[in-house]
Every structure is written in C-alpha cells, then in structure tokens.
Amino acid sequence: MFALIPIARCFSPMLRSAARRGPIFRSPSSMVRSSAAVDAVKETEKVALPTNDNSDFLLRVRHTSAHVMAMAVQRLFPGVQVTIGPWIDNGFYYDFFHPDGAQFSDDDLKKIKKEMDKIIKMKIPLRREEVSREEAKARIEAINEPFKLEILESIKTEPITLYHMGDEWWDLCAGPHVEHTGELPAKAIALQSVAGAYWRGDEKRPMLQRIYGTAWENPVQLKEYKRMMEEAKKRDHRVLGKQLDLFSIQEDAGGGLVFWHPKGSMVRRGIEDYWKSAHVDADYEILYTPHIANLNLWKTSGHFDFYKEGMFDQMDVEGDQYQIKPMNCPFHCLVYKDTLRSYRDLPFRWAELGTVYRYERSGTLHGLMRVRGFTQDDAHIFCLPEQLTDEILGVLDLTENILSRFGFDEYEVMLSTRPDKSVGSDEIWDAATEALEGALDRKGWAFGVDEGGGAFYGPKIDIKIKDAIGRTWQCSTVQCDFNLPERFDLEYVASEGDRKRPIMVHRAIFGSIERFFGILVESTAGDFPLWLAPVHMRLLPVTEKAKEFCKEVAKKGKKMGLRVEVDKGTERLAKQIRNAEKGRIPLMAVVGEQEITDNTLAIRSRKVGDLGSADVDVVLKQLQSAVEDATEITQLSP
C-alpha cells in the first residue's frame, strides 16, 4: 500500500502529535557543489534553525502563537469565525470565515500583530480543560461557531479537550502550549500572508481566509529564516524552470501535468540513467508495467477502499471497469505471483520508473512539487525474514550512493514503529522493526524513533535531505509490508516444503522524478553540476569563419557523448558571454582567429572564471573525463 499513508502531522486538534525528528547525518561522499551553493551553505551554517521535531519549546511557541493570533482577530473583527489553527513546519496558520465576505488586508495583518503583542504582554495563562462531548457542543452553539461543531463531530475520542486563554477565549485543542502568553518571544513572531482556502479542502464548501505566520525561539532565528526565504524566492523552481526553458505546466492540457522541454528532458535523462545504472550495479532488475489495469486489481490491493478519493475516475473497457494506476506495487505483486517461487530464488529486487496518476484538487497543485502525473522511482524487494536486515542495509547504501551523486549528503533519518491500527502479528512486527533498526546501526546512521508512526502495514524508515540553503525535504522511504503479500496470496516454497509468505519491502529514493527535479533546481539555483547540465559547453564564435570551426568541434564532442553547442554568433562577444552565464552554462569557449590557427579553445568556467587555452582534443578529453567522474573542471590539463 506504498505511499498511501503520509507522515503524521497535527493538522487538526485531536491528531497524533508530530513525529520526532532524528539528528542530521552527514554522508562522507558528496559531489563538488557550485560556488554559489557552497556560499549559501556557509551562510546558513551561521545560524542553525531548530525544528518542531527537535525543539519542544518551538512547537509550543508556534501552537500558542496560532491561538493568540485567532484571539487577536476576534478582538479586532467581531463576528469572524475560527476553524482550525495548527503549527506547521516553519510557523503556524489559522483559517477564518468572515460572514460579510470582507477580506483581510496587509494593513489588517499589521493591526493583528500589534494586538498579538498586547496579548503577549498581558501574560495570559493557558489552561487545559476536559469536557464531555455534550458540554463541548453546548458551549460551541452558545458562541455561534458552526465550523467548530463540524470539527467536534470529526473527533472520535473522549473526553474532549479545550484550551483557554484566561476567561476570554478558548478552542478545541489537544495542545501542547506554553504556560502563559508572556513566554512567547514577540519579536521572533511575524505574520506573513493571507491566502484563500476552502473549508475541508472542498471547493463546494465556504471559502475561508488563511493567515500564515512564522515563529521562532528568538529574533536571530527569525532574521535567518527571513534571509532563507529571500534566497528561496530566487531559487523558485517554477521561475527557474521558465527562465532556463526546462519544463512547463500547460493549462490548456490541464493542471498538474508536466511538459518536459528539451533541456529539462536532458537533465531528467541524466537523473534516470544514473538511477538505472546504480540499480543494475546493486543487482536490481528493471521492470516495465502498464499504466492502467482492471479495477478489480485495485480492489484486491485495497487501494480502491482506502484511496478512492485520490484516484481518477474509472473508464469503461468492453463492459469492464479499468483504472489508471495511482501506484505501481500491485503490478509488481502480479509479476511475483506469475510463477511459484522457491526460497532459493529469494530475494527478488525489482525496480521501475513507473508513471502514476493521482487526483489532486487544483488548489493543492504546486509546480513540480504537487502534480497529478508523476514518475515514482519505485522498487520492491521480496525476501525471506532472515534476509531482511541485509536487504535494508543494501537499500541504505544505494540511497546514499544515489543522493550523494546529486550533492545531497546530509540526512535526517526516522524509524517509525507500529501504530495502534495495523495488520500482522506481534512477532512479525517485532522482527521487522529489529531488522530496520539493525540495518541503521550497521550503517552507522544516527536516527530518531517515531513511536506508533509506522504505516498500518509495516514499520518504515524515512529519510529527509538537506538542501544548499538549509531546508529539509522528505525524499527516501523504506517500508516493510505485511498487507499486500496477504491480499495477493504471495507465497514461496520453504526449505521444509511448506508454503510461506515473503517479506515485501517498498522503497523509493527520489520519491518522484518530478519532485526531486524541483528540489534539485532549487538547491543548485539551476546551476547544475557539470555532468548533469543540459549543455556542458557552449562555443562562442567571434567571426563567421569561427562558426564553421565551432561546428566541427561540437560534432567531435557529440561523438564523445558530450553536450556541446554553438552560439549563433549574432551578438557581440560580451553579450554571448552574458547569455551563457544567464543560461547557467558550466563552460564557455571563445573561438577567434588565434584559436582556429592553433586548434585551441579559450575556456571560461562559470564557477571559476578564465582557465586559459588548450588544444581542442585535450579540452574535449578532459571534459569527457569530468562528466564520467561527476567532477568539475577548475583548471585545464597541461
């Protein structure tokens, strides 16, 4: 049931608290980063920003800040109704309903922040109260908050918990919070923006106004966060994707569908080619499976029951219902089941770059990060119980190998254990959890433990990567599955001759090609490493005669597997250089009369500057070696 269960987040008052995050682990292997990326990392390291997962105080500050903001809004705008107000990764938000349809303005945000500061100075105590469902309903009806009634209906546990700020304001909430509002660092809290959000994410329900805020432990952290956000704006993959002509989202074709342009396709092909070669070297076999299947397959897997809202509508094929696939795992189960397997055959390691399609509401779509059609770098391992630790260790090794190739060598690792609702025996859960923990220990990676945070079908390891400006991104995951082998009746013949279930492991390293591409664009600011760049070198002809020379050099480079292109030569040399710089071309070669006479190229590196001149064949040979070894050229070979 891979990718169906998200990491637990506190997006409603009664959900389980957020998972604890493990410590940062830095891989010893990494590629040479661009100078801009290295500078960004150095700058970020000056102030280490805490997270909700490693700072309980910060989580409380953010949660309480949301309540203080809501109280301030209702003080300033009587009649405005509140809905939900959780903490999020970098702060908090609250959704409000304005009965008369008025909109919050930037000036309103300033007024709200000023009122929040007053509330903070009052040092109002926060008090937790437990009440019956009937009492909670009566109190909500008394203050005319209809959205809270709906929230109350969604809470399945009792007693109902409320949090009060003095005697003036309260909300349905499970906490946690600070002791009193005076503990909030007012100068480390800022309101950021207002956005529209449909109630319950349903466009048929009322439109709410969501006010976003950020909160930190101290003003220094807030300043660093603002600096990071300014840097992030410059690196927005949607903007760079347009500027560098990498991809587009064509609204005429429908939202959330990615069109890969030639240069973006070249980078994507580089990512996929390395992924495939690394998997083959790790003894994986590559599969290709269909894009649609009979709906009965998704009923067997359980996806139709658990994930129907995230699937596109079915299509009629000669009286049968077919479903475009939202994930690849049921197909791999069918491949396994095609032949009776022996214990001697296991393990099987099957990988696929499988394109899947999921229904996402238009309001949730975001560039390459949230799309409706995407390619998962999926793999499934079918193994014996005693092989599990070794197989997980192999996945961790492969994950490090692949991620470090792209410059990601700092990870946050989390082991998530059995939740309250799950399938499988205690014995198999304990064994699988011990296998995951054993593999992490053998790998030498520090990790945190999220008790009860596993999927209902098995424990898992989640890996977040840290980008060049210090942000973390969820990418890799390794999940044991006791559910699908049972649902598909997968078996192998054991050494004693009886039939047993294999252990199934789901794993992805990128998560999806599209999302990883977006992360990579933002981490590198579009300044891809030499080996991955859509163009390795651009030749800049100074004269008409030089154009023909450049064409011959480009042709020779192409035969060597290099991406060498020739500038049209219609601009002055200074403009040609500026265009190459704007296009993030790693290497430029100026070609004039002297270069033609000497059969040389005058090389300029985008990251280093002028490197001097060298023979054409020497330059191409060095470039070929750098691309093959995933290194940068900082000086020319003698």
Side-chain angles (χ1 to χ4, degrees), residues 72-119:
V73 167
Q74 292 194 308
R75 273 185 174 185
L76 295 170
F77 304 94
V80 167
Q81 298 169 358
V82 298
T83 60
I84 60 172
W87 71 81
I88 54 178
D89 284 347
N90 295 309
F92 58 92
Y93 72 79
Y94 230 108
D95 286 346
F96 301 95
F97 178 70
H98 218 307
D100 62 9
Q103 301 292 310
F104 291 121
S105 66
D106 289 341
D107 285 340
D108 290 334
L109 292 188
K110 294 176 183 177
K111 294 175 184 176
I112 294 167
K113 179 58 170 68
K114 189 174 181 180
E115 190 65 28
M116 289 175 66
D117 292 344
K118 290 180 182 178
I119 296 171

Side-chain angles (χ1 to χ4, degrees), residues 408-440:
F408 298 109
D409 55 8
E410 291 186 67
Y411 317 127
E412 292 179 355
V413 183
M414 181 64 64
L415 171 65
S416 300
T417 61
R418 187 174 191 172
D420 293 335
K421 294 183 179 180
S422 59
V423 297
S425 66
D426 291 342
E427 181 182 7
I428 195 169
W429 268 90
D430 291 344
T433 303
E434 289 176 9
L436 296 183
E437 186 171 354
L440 287 168

